[in-house]
Amino acid sequence: MTDWTVLASFSVCGALLAMMAISIAFSAFMPALDRWNRGYFVTFFSLLFLYVIVIVFDVIVYTVPALANMGSAVAIAEYLFFSVLTPMPIFFLLHKCGEEIRRSALMRAGLTLWGIFCVLLIVGRITDAFYGVAPDGQYVRRPLFPLLIAPLAAIMLLNIAGLIKRRKKLSKRSFIGLLVYLLPTALMIIVYMFVAADIVVALWMVLSALTMYGFIHTDSVAQYTRQQREIARQRADIMVLQMRPHFICNTMMSIYYLCDRDPQKAKQVTLDFTDYLRRNFNAVSCENVIPFTDELEHARAYLAVEQAQFEDGLLVRFDTPHTAFRLPPLTLQPLVENAVKHGMKATGEPLHVYVTARQTDRGSEITVEDDGVGFSPAGDGARPGALANIRQRLSQMCGGTLEIGPREGGGTRVKITIPSAE
């Protein structure tokens, strides 16, 4: 290499490392990316970063004769980092399409080809069939070198075929982004089979990866914006459901009559009702998940107000030893309100409401049970009310689920499961 070629090589590698470092930081902290996508792109750009670092060592070894004996080892490291990048788009594609990665024939084929490459790499190290060391100590390619790279080219072509087959399952931006990365990269790998152009290949891959990330990130931002708008709309909807005019009127009338009959209790009900209203307003303005203890106190404030009206007609029991988790606002309180609203018996018998929170192997589990009139599967209008709203917010904000069904012994049972954050 001439001096200007060496300078240009180091300059290009330095620019690529800077771009990868920025991309890693950008991927790690952008809120529009969910946890899986964030982890994927941080890993992907980190591998690209390490790949470029190895190329820098390759240039150093090539320009410093005293280090020539390290050429073969550096080349193997370069091939390994380079090869790991080739099946990675398969993971992203299958995840985007909602397919099971472990059971995918596409994934198995890609990993099989990558395994063949690793075997050939070991064989080349032992026999010098694909690469070796020249008399001057420098690393050189052998005539069978294209055979070593062929499995990686096949993986890229497999990526392209899998992408085209699943194009209808992807958004337009995601499809274009993956295609923009896969086509140029596949072409450069085929060229690399016959031409030693390590830095050009790295430059091409980095630029293609950044273009892909741009398309996919804008798609994620658009989806994130839609979700935030939907969550905001749902909070407004559930607020309307929660603030029932007759409940407010009944509460105020209860306080009015208690002022003469039991002033101390009237003060307590006023405090409970104020706490309930304050927590409702705070929940509407909250955009993220909140501690379960906040939602638990919201439910307690509501039930305290209702118990002031129904007295011995409403009996509540809390059993919540596990509280160290988070959930969307307005999750537990609407469930206990739903139990009171729909569970009261025409016979006048007391209604029992049970609230429990447990830690299980699946995560955090909340149950709200009542021994009221019982669950009717006829439809949302018969019983669940805001349950569909809660179910959707649980899924979007923390990956949780909600199940509703009859309670053993009569009444209704609602169970929420929130996966552990780890």
Side-chain angles (χ1 to χ4, degrees), residues 231-389:
I231 290 172
R233 184 191 64 79
Q234 291 174 352
R235 285 200 303 268
D237 289 347
I238 200 169
M239 184 63 174
V240 172
L241 289 171
Q242 288 302 104
M243 298 300 293
R244 293 179 288 122
H246 74 273
F247 169 67
I248 298 175
C249 292
N250 289 344
T251 302
M252 298 304 295
M253 290 302 298
S254 296
I255 295 172
Y256 174 80
Y257 287 115
L258 283 171
C259 286
D260 292 330
R261 189 177 62 195
D262 191 343
Q264 193 62 36
K265 187 174 182 180
K267 290 181 180 180
Q268 184 59 50
V269 175
T270 302
L271 288 175
D272 292 333
F273 187 53
T274 302
D275 187 29
Y276 163 77
L277 292 176
R278 177 177 58 81
R279 292 180 183 278
N280 255 31
F281 293 137
N282 289 342
V284 171
S285 62
C286 182
E287 297 182 356
N288 301 309
V289 291
I290 62 173
F292 173 68
T293 51
D294 290 357
E295 191 67 11
L296 185 61
E297 291 306 312
H298 192 181
R300 289 183 186 275
Y302 165 76
L303 289 170
V305 173
E306 290 284 33
Q307 283 181 305
Q309 298 182 47
F310 292 107
E311 296 183 343
D312 295 337
L314 175 60
L315 303 175
V316 182
R317 188 177 72 187
F318 288 91
D319 183 13
T320 56
H322 174 54
T323 59
F325 62 96
R326 303 175 75 87
L327 75 173
L330 290 173
T331 298
L332 175 61
Q333 190 277 326
L335 295 182
V336 297
E337 180 171 347
N338 203 58
V340 174
K341 179 180 177 182
H342 297 283
M344 283 297 176
K345 306 169 186 177
T347 59
E349 296 178 34
L351 173 70
H352 295 79
V353 177
Y354 309 94
V355 179
T356 63
R358 293 280 188 274
Q359 186 170 21
T360 68
D361 294 339
R362 298 174 59 189
S364 300
E365 184 178 284
I366 309 165
T367 59
V368 177
E369 298 179 284
D370 67 74
D371 62 352
V373 297
F375 170 70
S376 171
D380 282 358
R383 173 108 177 155
L387 294 183
N389 183 293

Side-chain angles (χ1 to χ4, degrees), residues 107-165:
M107 189 76 258
R108 288 196 296 269
L111 293 179
T112 299
L113 289 170
W114 184 75
I116 292 173
F117 167 80
C118 291
V119 171
L120 293 177
L121 189 64
I122 295 172
V123 171
R125 176 64 175 166
I126 297 173
T127 64
D128 287 347
F130 308 111
Y131 51 88
V133 180
D136 60 357
Q138 295 286 357
Y139 161 82
V140 294
R141 295 183 174 200
R142 301 299 188 196
L144 292 180
F145 181 80
L147 181 61
L148 172 66
I149 304 300
L152 303 184
I155 292 175
M156 296 307 297
L157 296 176
L158 192 67
N159 276 317
I160 295 172
L163 174 64
I164 294 174
K165 181 180 178 182

Side-chain angles (χ1 to χ4, degrees), residues 66-83:
L67 300 176
N69 59 341
M70 298 177 58
S72 180
V74 172
I76 292 175
E78 180 182 334
Y79 295 149
L80 281 175
F81 281 114
F82 178 63
S83 69

Side-chain angles (χ1 to χ4, degrees), residues 9 50-51 60 69 83 141 145 169 195 224 239 245 305 393-394:
S9 298
L50 294 173
Y51 171 54
I60 294 173
N69 59 341
S83 69
R141 295 183 174 200
F145 181 80
K169 297 181 179 180
V195 180
Y224 178 79
M239 184 63 174
V305 173
R393 288 187 297 119
L394 278 167

